[in-house]
Amino acid sequence: MDADETEIRLEKPSTALRRGWTTGACATAATKAALTALLSGDFPDPVEITLPKGETPCFPLAREILTEDHAMAGIIKDAGDDPDVTHGALVIASVRRLPTGDGIVFRAGDGVGMVTKAGLPIPVGEPAINPVPRQMMIQVVTALCAEHGVSPDVEIEIAIGNGAELALQTWNPRLGIVGGLSVLGTTGVVHPFSCSSWIHSIHRGIDVARAEGYAHVLGATGSTSEKTAQDFYKLPDIACLDMGDFAGGLLKYLRAHPVPRLTIAGGFAKLTKLGQGALDLHSGRSQVDMVWLADHALQLGAHVDLKQRILSANTAMEVLELTREQGVDLPAAIAVAARSIALETLRGAPVEVDVMVMDRAGKLLAHAR
């Protein structure tokens, strides 16, 4: 575990992990169950859907209501063994028929957010239901309506229990998604600890910043370093990308979708690993190389006897203290090395980069630009 900042994601267990289902898959299954009941009078329980890659999971219903012109079905989301904020949430679909020609209309119920900023794959003013879940629900509605000989003119309202509160634990407020969660999923399947949702959030954050015209974004390894850098540059929240350990995910997306200026901020240990060339900064996937640190310290004028003390150190922060005692500015070297790796990863993309190295309290130790 890196000592300069609190870990920001859970360690992956060593045992086999159980897959789960996305909110998009749950919403699709709930939509199919509700519309089936509205058209036939009976709820299928469990309800089976077909995912984009051909899998056909079944979902038990947790709630159902049927009236003459309205049907509602609810499904408890099972994210498997992934530490998903929406695991256990009730995903509800309410459907009703619309006049011929109105088409399929999506509404945001309680706990589902509305898009208020450009740059996301859904237009401003629409419910935060992503394109793949929308398409899955459209296919279900189209097929069921054809089967029953009626026109596919249906209103679908998706709600998520406690979604407004859960959304505060996500990126949605920064992305301009107001009032609740997003209905997400590209395959319908949640792969435990794949980190795909985190990287997806980084990408969407860049998209929104670009669409809003921001020329300067910040990627930080943790909240302490983010606050220092954000205050230093007086950046709005929307320009702050929760990079965490995923330096590679941030830099590779910026390579294809550049923003004029990027600041990378982080603790001494995390940015040491970036300076060494690691693009995943998690303690389980990259380690601080004490030999590398010792060599840099010697190049900066450290006494030769310091090398063995560095090689015997337990943490990067211990190395930092040892070099401070001899007046060796190791953070400056780390900042330069990290900036070099960032520029190398960007491969000539038109992005100016500066790197800020912090201590555990958020004090700025070095700034390479």
Side-chain angles (χ1 to χ4, degrees):
M1 187 179 204
D2 299 317
D4 53 6
E5 290 192 77
T6 303
E7 281 292 348
I8 51 177
R9 56 181 162 126
L10 299 176
E11 296 286 354
K12 178 178 179 179
S14 58
T15 55
L17 298 175
R18 187 171 59 88
R19 297 188 311 166
W21 311 111
T22 63
T23 47
C26 295
T28 300
T31 297
K32 182 176 181 180
L35 186 57
T36 299
L38 188 62
L39 297 176
S40 71
D42 294 312
F43 285 92
D45 189 6
V47 57
E48 180 182 286
I49 63 170
T50 301
L51 300 179
K53 292 187 177 181
E55 295 169 282
T56 54
C58 292
F59 298 80
L61 299 187
R63 187 174 297 179
E64 55 188 59
I65 295 174
L66 177 60
T67 68
E68 184 177 342
D69 61 357
H70 165 266
M72 180 271 278
I75 289 171
I76 300 294
K77 176 174 175 177
D78 180 2
D81 289 325
D82 196 65
D84 189 317
V85 68
T86 57
H87 177 68
L90 179 64
V91 180
I92 298 170
S94 300
V95 300
R96 67 182 182 92
R97 299 281 307 282
L98 294 176
T100 301
D102 280 8
I104 298 171
V105 178
F106 290 95
R107 304 289 184 202
D110 289 344
V112 171
M114 294 291 292
V115 176
T116 67
K117 292 183 183 296
L120 295 169
I122 301 301
V124 171
E126 281 286 314
I129 302 171
N130 269 24
V132 171
R134 283 179 183 244
Q135 187 57 38
M136 290 169 64
M137 284 181 263
I138 288 170
Q139 289 171 352
V140 160
V141 169
T142 302
L144 282 173
C145 288
E147 181 182 328
H148 288 84
V150 298
S151 63
D153 300 292
V154 176
E155 178 186 271
I156 305 170
E157 180 182 283
I158 304 298
I160 301 177
N162 203 37
E165 291 75 16
L166 292 173
L168 299 178
Q169 303 176 47
T170 73
W171 264 46
N172 277 15
R174 287 191 179 186
L175 295 175
I177 297 172
V178 175
L181 292 161
S182 302
V183 178
L184 301 173
T186 54
T187 65
V189 180
V190 174
H191 295 281
F193 289 84
S194 68
C195 304
S196 59
S197 60
W198 193 312
I199 295 173
H200 171 89
S201 293
I202 293 172
H203 294 175
R204 297 296 76 78
I206 292 169
D207 291 342
V208 170
R210 282 165 50 92
E212 292 288 309
Y214 287 98
H216 186 182
V217 295
L218 164 65
T221 61
S223 58
T224 301
S225 54
E226 179 184 86
K227 184 178 187 309
T228 299
Q230 184 178 10
D231 290 347
F232 184 90
Y233 282 116
K234 296 180 172 54
L235 293 172
D237 284 347
I238 195 173
C240 298
L241 310 171
D242 191 6
M243 178 183 76
D245 294 323
F246 302 106
L250 171 71
L251 291 164
K252 291 173 185 177
Y253 197 75
L254 281 173
R255 187 165 70 204
H257 307 84
V259 173
R261 186 171 183 186
L262 165 67
T263 295
I264 295 175
F268 179 78
K270 297 282 189 186
L271 293 189
T272 292
K273 290 191 284 187
L274 179 58
Q276 292 168 187
L279 295 178
D280 186 335
L281 310 181
H282 188 262
S283 58
R285 292 178 172 83
S286 58
Q287 298 295 322
V288 172
D289 184 342
M290 295 301 182
V291 174
W292 189 88
L293 280 176
D295 288 343
H296 275 73
L298 290 176
Q299 292 170 18
L300 292 169
H303 296 159
V304 175
D305 63 358
L306 182 61
K307 179 173 183 177
Q308 191 56 49
R309 295 177 68 191
I310 291 175
L311 295 177
S312 301
N314 290 322
T315 66
M317 291 304 292
E318 184 180 349
V319 174
L320 176 60
E321 293 306 318
L322 289 171
T323 53
R324 274 175 163 173
E325 291 172 4
Q326 291 198 12
V328 175
D329 192 1
L330 197 51
I334 298 307
V336 169
R339 180 175 182 271
S340 177
I341 293 297
L343 290 171
E344 178 183 311
T345 306
L346 287 166
R347 295 182 186 172
V351 182
E352 292 185 19
V353 178
D354 67 290
V355 173
M356 305 174 76
V357 180
M358 319 292 184
D359 65 11
R360 275 183 282 189
K363 179 182 177 182
L364 181 61
L365 299 178
H367 196 174
R369 45 193 159 177

